Amino acid sequence: MKIKNICCIGAGYVGGPTMAVIAQKNPDIKVTVVDINAARIAAWNDKDLNKLPIYEPGLDKVVEEARNRNLFFSTDVDTAIEAADMIFISVNTPTKTYGQGKGMAADLKYIELCSRQIARVAKTDKIVVEKSTLPVRTAQAIKSILHNTGNGVQFQILSNPEFLAEGTAVQDLIAPDRVLIGGEQTKEGLEAIQALVDIYATWVPLENILTTNLWSSELSKLTANAFLAQRVSSINAMSELCEVTGADVNEVANAIGKDSRIGPKFLKASVGFGGSCFQKDILNLVYIAKSYGLNEVADYWEQVIIMNDYQKRRFASKIIQTLYNTISGKKIAFLGWAFKKDTNDTRESAAIYVADQLMEEQANIVVYDPKVTADQMQSDLNYLNTRTEEANATNLTTVLDPYEACKNAHAVAVLTEWDEFKTYDWQKIYDEMKKPAFVFDGRGILDQSTLESIGFHFYAIGK
Ligand code: NAD
Ligand code: UGA
């Protein structure tokens, strides 16, 4: 079975870049990415590649090559579904904010809506691919919706979770550690798996394309994120122990990372992990485990989140304590708001929670981030519902110049590891700050001895 026409529902951080790369590498396949968000689609179609709705290094080049050749962005979901022989579902699956499983379970309403739309529109057989991260056994629910249309159309459901990380999405898509494809182990299921393998095989070595049953594939995605986040919480837990014992967390991470069984990646102590997925996926895992009555399994993984929340609070508390337990009316400069460097994404960013805690103490926060807009920062704070929108707008402001952010500040806090922060004229920043001048490096990117020799009082996590 040779796929000629792909539709992807959801033009977000995953759907956009993933389909752009599939289209780039398969010029003979027509790829249409659809979304109900018209502004987002318009941005994907914008002639000015700086206006793409998401910022990812290298993405503009890929889009430029494939767009309007065999890559299209549209709001006409029905037409794209009807024309496609393979449909990726790449919509958001946030944590539920209501009802049963509130605050834990994944909200699958967008997945169900897509499934129902496909069931309603499809007139020819299709392969439906779960690209979104989903609770294990979701394919069962999708199947039951699709197989009850009564119109004779046949569907195969595949799970093909995405492992890209933001900020390196294009690189991760072009050279993935592995591609994972799960499907039914029937003749038709195996044919569908092969059709998707063929698409990836145009650029991914076959030995890096793993095929499994549906449930292993769905569960592997949640497991991968849980393991990655657990490493961050583990090193963050050690960071506090380092601070009280005189050990240096970077030295500890380096020492343990040399053990090939542990490995050096994902051992950077920080102000806490953020991003749209780690917390959501672990909460989902905890919920699933509990729903099967596996309470010890649930408690084990929940601790990863508890540790992460603690790390964010601990960083904010450190700032408050160090500034003589009173930050009311003090200016605190934030360098960075995104949840990691090289992205404009702020979902679950540690900066939001640290800012919120400091604002409860009536600090004035002034933020500089190279990619995040003032509106986004305000909407992140307003979402927490801690205080009025007016109070948020008064107590947290955004500037476009890092030196302006730091001028007359009592303290500078580094919340994102943007490379440019390392290259600033820290002497100038020091000269223009209130004294004593404090720096709180939540990302371990600044050189402590250089900053201390300028005169800063310096705090880094885990030292
Ligand atoms: P996103 O919010 O950026 O994009 C989802 C898009 O789907 C939105 O633009 C929304 O308008 C659209 N949408 C929702 N319902 C729709 C419908 N019925 N019809 C058409 N469009 C609809 O989300 P994302 O970050 O791309 O994540 C998507 C999924 O991929 C999630 O399950 C996430 O867990 C998973 N994932 C994300 C990442 C990441 O780095 N962001 C990485 C791997 C996996
Ligand atoms: C993560 C995974 O790395 C991807 O494989 C996965 O596809 C994705 O989640 C997803 O499912 O959404 P992402 O959240 O984009 O990707 O970025 P990461 O590089 O994993 O960083 C997550 C957070 O952990 C960031 O806030 C980062 O600063 C923090 N982190 C990461 C640390 O604090 N220390 C580290 O050593 C590594």
Side-chain angles (χ1 to χ4, degrees), residues 7-25:
C7 160
C8 173
I9 310 180
Y13 282 85
V14 168
T18 311
M19 292 303 127
V21 170
I22 287 185
Q24 182 197 35
K25 302 292 185 187

Side-chain angles (χ1 to χ4, degrees), residues 15-70:
T18 311
M19 292 303 127
V21 170
I22 287 185
Q24 182 197 35
K25 302 292 185 187
N26 291 275
D28 53 336
I29 300 179
K30 181 179 177 191
V31 180
T32 308
V33 190
V34 291
D35 204 295
I36 40 175
N37 181 336
R40 215 167 201 186
I41 291 297
W44 280 112
N45 281 322
D46 203 303
K47 283 203 179 63
D48 181 354
L49 290 163
N50 290 318
K51 297 208 175 120
L52 294 183
I54 63 173
Y55 171 73
E56 278 294 339
L59 181 62
D60 48 353
K61 295 268 176 323
V62 181
V63 170
E64 186 174 33
E65 184 184 332
R67 195 173 61 183
N68 297 330
R69 177 189 71 184
N70 65 322

Side-chain angles (χ1 to χ4, degrees), residues 333-460:
F334 270 29
L335 294 179
W337 188 264
F339 82 98
K340 63 186 280 197
K341 72 173 181 179
D342 292 337
T343 178
N344 61 347
D345 195 346
T346 64
R347 290 177 286 183
E348 290 300 329
S349 180
I352 304 167
Y353 297 93
V354 174
D356 191 55
Q357 194 173 332
L358 298 182
M359 285 162 81
E360 278 303 274
E361 297 288 330
Q362 301 180 345
N364 290 324
I365 317 271
V366 180
V367 191
Y368 166 77
D369 185 287
K371 289 286 173 199
V372 181
T373 62
D375 283 353
Q376 185 59 50
M377 295 177 197
Q378 291 301 322
S379 105
D380 290 337
L381 286 172
N382 293 338
Y383 187 75
L384 296 183
N385 244 330
T386 312
R387 62 191 74 73
T388 64
E389 295 194 0
E390 292 69 31
N392 281 334
T394 311
N395 294 323
L396 185 137
T397 49
T398 307
V399 293
L400 298 174
D401 173 24
Y403 296 97
E404 190 188 334
C406 300
K407 197 170 188 171
N408 289 321
H410 292 261
V412 174
V414 178
L415 274 303
T416 313
E417 72 280 23
W418 288 101
D419 289 332
E420 65 173 66
F421 299 163
K422 293 186 245 180
T423 66
Y424 289 168
D425 181 347
W426 282 95
Q427 182 68 55
K428 174 177 154 76
I429 291 176
Y430 178 79
D431 292 342
E432 293 176 353
M433 279 177 67
K434 292 250 192 312
K435 307 294 175 326
F438 295 91
V439 168
F440 298 88
D441 185 355
R443 294 293 185 165
I445 58 165
L446 301 174
D447 187 58
Q448 179 160 4
S449 56
T450 309
L451 265 73
E452 282 177 345
S453 67
I454 291 173
F456 282 107
H457 292 251
F458 191 87
Y459 164 76

Side-chain angles (χ1 to χ4, degrees), residues 248-301:
D248 175 332
V249 76
N250 293 334
E251 292 179 351
V252 172
N254 186 42
I256 64 165
K258 293 282 186 213
D259 185 327
S260 60
R261 294 167 302 175
I262 296 175
K265 294 182 184 168
F266 252 74
L267 288 178
K268 183 79 190 152
S270 69
V271 55
F273 60 75
S276 61
C277 292
F278 279 176
Q279 174 161 314
K280 146 177 105 61
D281 292 347
I282 293 177
L283 289 172
N284 185 8
L285 192 63
V286 169
Y287 183 75
I288 294 168
K290 277 195 181 147
S291 70
Y292 285 104
L294 311 180
N295 293 328
E296 287 77 6
V297 177
D299 290 348
Y300 176 77
W301 287 110

Side-chain angles (χ1 to χ4, degrees), residues 314 316-327 440:
R314 191 168 85 77
S317 301
K318 185 81 193 178
I319 296 177
I320 298 166
Q321 277 161 20
T322 310
L323 297 185
Y324 317 108
N325 284 313
T326 164
I327 54 168
F440 298 88

